[in-house]
Amino acid sequence: MKKAKILAIQLLQFRGPETSIIATVALAFLLLPMCQYIIRPCSDGNKISFGVCGRFTGAELLSFSLSVSIVCIWVLTGHWLLMDAMGMGLCVAFIAFVRLPSLKVSTLLLTGLLIYDVFWVFFSSYIFSTNVMVKVATRPADNPVSLVARRLHLGGVARAAPKLPLPGKLVFPSIHQAGHFSMLGLGDIVMPGLLLCFVLRYDAYKKTQLLPGGCETGVPPPRHFSRISYFHCSLIGYFLGLLTATVSSEVFKAAQPALLYLVPFTLLPLLTMAYLKVPLCFLYNLM
């Protein structure tokens, strides 16, 4: 049983150096639009060659430099605000590059992750004698500075480097207890975010059908484009689900699987709205 517990924790944890590299790239991707807007007046858009490394624009170099600086400061200080910035970068990058193909796939994926989340939060303690999800989420990672210092036999530097909480979550300081934080896993943002991104693309697709010649064969054109779209419906549901999860965490004073609230609050209003607009079986297979 002890070996199974250790194996489960090792399967769910990330290491600090690898995470720092991934977070650097994701944060640079998040900062790129802002950097493009800043240097647009003073840049001609030409790319700068770096030999075998490739060619990059000034905005790309600026965003990467800012990202490296933020990650380095986080490694040295371990500040929660910088970790949240890297976590947001990871969320944006994942949602930008991963797309769900249909509503059927979205429903199956979110339902499966809901069961997964509930198991690891509520039932893992009965099997592994500890709440594996909470232990992994709160377990600090090795600081890359301390790893390098140990190899160079710099004991003082290794001891001075702070332990780093991994940027696999967003943390918010508690207003009731100083030094305590509330956590929201990145998966609780990314997975419903993929659904929201999907329905936003579908809303844009249906909007094009209102234009002349925009209707495709076999797809009934909408009679009107409602002000409350599928995206708005899911977004409001996500907000209410997140609010419910936060209240439940405060009431029960225990970790809550956020997907237990987010999945029903985002999927059920979406499916209800779809049922009221068009035959659900048609939409379920089309979207």
Side-chain angles (χ1 to χ4, degrees):
M1 184 64 67
K2 185 176 180 181
K3 290 183 179 179
K5 170 184 170 183
I6 295 173
L7 178 61
I9 293 176
Q10 288 177 343
L11 288 175
L12 290 174
Q13 75 172 8
F14 296 94
R15 297 192 60 185
E18 292 86 347
T19 306
S20 300
I21 296 173
I22 297 173
T24 301
V25 177
L27 188 57
F29 178 79
L30 177 65
L31 296 174
L32 181 58
M34 182 190 69
C35 294
Q36 289 174 334
Y37 178 80
I38 291 174
I39 71 170
R40 185 178 300 167
C42 55
S43 175
D44 54 5
N46 293 331
K47 293 187 176 183
I48 304 172
S49 177
F50 285 85
V52 295
C53 294
R55 296 168 60 85
F56 304 94
T57 63
E60 292 171 342
L61 295 175
L62 178 60
S63 65
F64 184 75
S65 301
L66 289 175
S67 177
V68 170
S69 302
I70 291 173
V71 172
C72 289
I73 296 173
W74 170 70
V75 167
L76 295 175
T77 63
H79 198 277
W80 65 270
L81 196 57
L82 300 178
M83 185 185 71
D84 282 359
M86 291 187 294
M88 287 186 286
L90 290 169
C91 290
V92 171
F94 196 92
I95 292 175
F97 289 107
V98 178
R99 292 190 175 185
L100 297 177
S102 67
L103 182 59
K104 183 185 298 183
V105 173
S106 305
T107 303
L108 292 175
L109 176 63
L110 288 174
T111 304
L113 289 173
L114 167 62
I115 297 173
Y116 169 88
D117 205 17
V118 169
F119 169 78
W120 285 110
V121 173
F122 287 149
F123 300 105
S124 62
S125 58
Y126 297 104
I127 301 175
F128 304 108
S129 302
T130 186
N131 192 318
V132 176
M133 188 69 80
V134 174
K135 189 173 183 64
V136 170
T138 57
R139 184 173 183 170
D142 290 330
N143 194 313
V145 174
S146 63
L147 293 177
V148 175
R150 287 196 204 102
R151 294 195 177 187
L152 297 178
H153 304 289
L154 302 175
V157 177
R159 287 190 296 270
K163 285 284 187 179
L164 297 175
L166 291 172
K169 57 187 177 294
L170 300 184
V171 296
F172 310 94
S174 175
I175 60 176
H176 302 293
Q177 293 178 303
H180 289 262
F181 292 85
S182 299
M183 295 182 297
L184 179 65
L186 297 189
D188 301 326
I189 302 172
V190 169
M191 296 308 163
L194 291 175
L195 176 64
L196 291 173
C197 186
F198 169 73
V199 296
L200 181 61
R201 294 198 315 270
Y202 182 77
D203 285 335
Y205 162 73
K206 296 297 286 184
K207 207 172 195 177
T208 59
Q209 290 193 293
L210 291 176
L211 302 176
C215 183
E216 295 182 3
T217 304
V219 180
R223 297 180 180 178
H224 64 280
F225 193 76
S226 176
R227 291 185 178 181
I228 301 180
S229 63
Y230 292 112
F231 173 74
H232 294 140
C233 181
S234 298
L235 184 61
I236 294 171
Y238 180 83
F239 171 76
L240 294 176
L242 191 59
L243 181 62
T244 306
T246 304
V247 172
S248 300
S249 179
E250 291 294 328
V251 170
F252 295 107
K253 303 297 181 183
Q256 297 290 315
L259 291 180
L260 178 62
Y261 308 95
L262 294 175
V263 172
F265 272 90
T266 52
L267 267 181
L268 293 181
L270 173 63
L271 296 176
T272 303
M273 186 176 180
Y275 175 78
L276 295 175
K277 284 190 172 185
V278 296
L280 185 58
C281 59
F282 174 81
L283 187 64
Y284 192 69
N285 292 314
L286 175 66
M287 288 180 69

